[in-house]
Amino acid sequence: VQQLQATSYAFAAILADGSVVTWGSPGSGGDSSQVQDQLKGVQQVQAAESAFAAILADGSVVTWGEPDSGGDSSEVQDQLKGVQQVQAAKRAFAAILADGSV
C-alpha cells in the first residue's frame, strides 16, 4: 500500500501497481466499481466526507462516492487536465492545475 485515505465510513488504498482498492460504506466511497476501470496509474487520493478524488499519472482526475460530496465531477471533467494537486473540503474538492489556476 502506497497511500491510504478515509472518508467518514470508507477507505481507499493506492497499491504499488497504481490501482486502488476501496472498502466500507458504498455511499461514502467504499464502492468504486463504477470507476474501477479508470483507476489505473493513480498518483494521489484525497478524501472528503463521503467521496474520493484520485489524480492519475496523466493529470486527469477520477471521483467517486456521494455526488453531493464531490463524488460526481462530470460537470467539470473537461477542465480537469494537468492537475497537480487536489484538496478536499467536507463536501467538495478543489484542484490546482499545471498553470497554477484552481
Side-chain angles (χ1 to χ4, degrees):
V1 173
Q2 304 295 309
Q3 183 191 6
L4 182 66
Q5 287 285 324
T7 62
S8 294
Y9 299 103
F11 296 91
I14 303 175
L15 304 183
D17 65 359
S19 64
V20 172
V21 175
T22 59
W23 67 97
S25 172
S28 292
D31 178 5
S32 57
S33 60
Q34 300 267 348
V35 296
Q36 196 61 49
D37 61 329
Q38 301 172 57
L39 293 173
K40 304 198 181 339
V42 175
Q43 304 294 301
Q44 178 190 8
V45 171
Q46 285 290 334
E49 182 179 54
S50 298
F52 292 102
I55 302 176
L56 306 186
D58 65 1
S60 62
V61 173
V62 177
T63 59
W64 69 96
E66 174 60 43
D68 291 340
S69 287
D72 180 1
S73 58
S74 58
E75 289 188 26
V76 295
Q77 197 61 49
D78 61 328
Q79 300 172 55
L80 294 173
K81 311 281 189 232
V83 174
Q84 303 293 302
Q85 182 181 340
V86 169
Q87 179 63 50
K90 183 175 180 179
R91 298 181 62 115
F93 296 103
I96 300 175
L97 306 183
D99 64 4
S101 63
V102 176

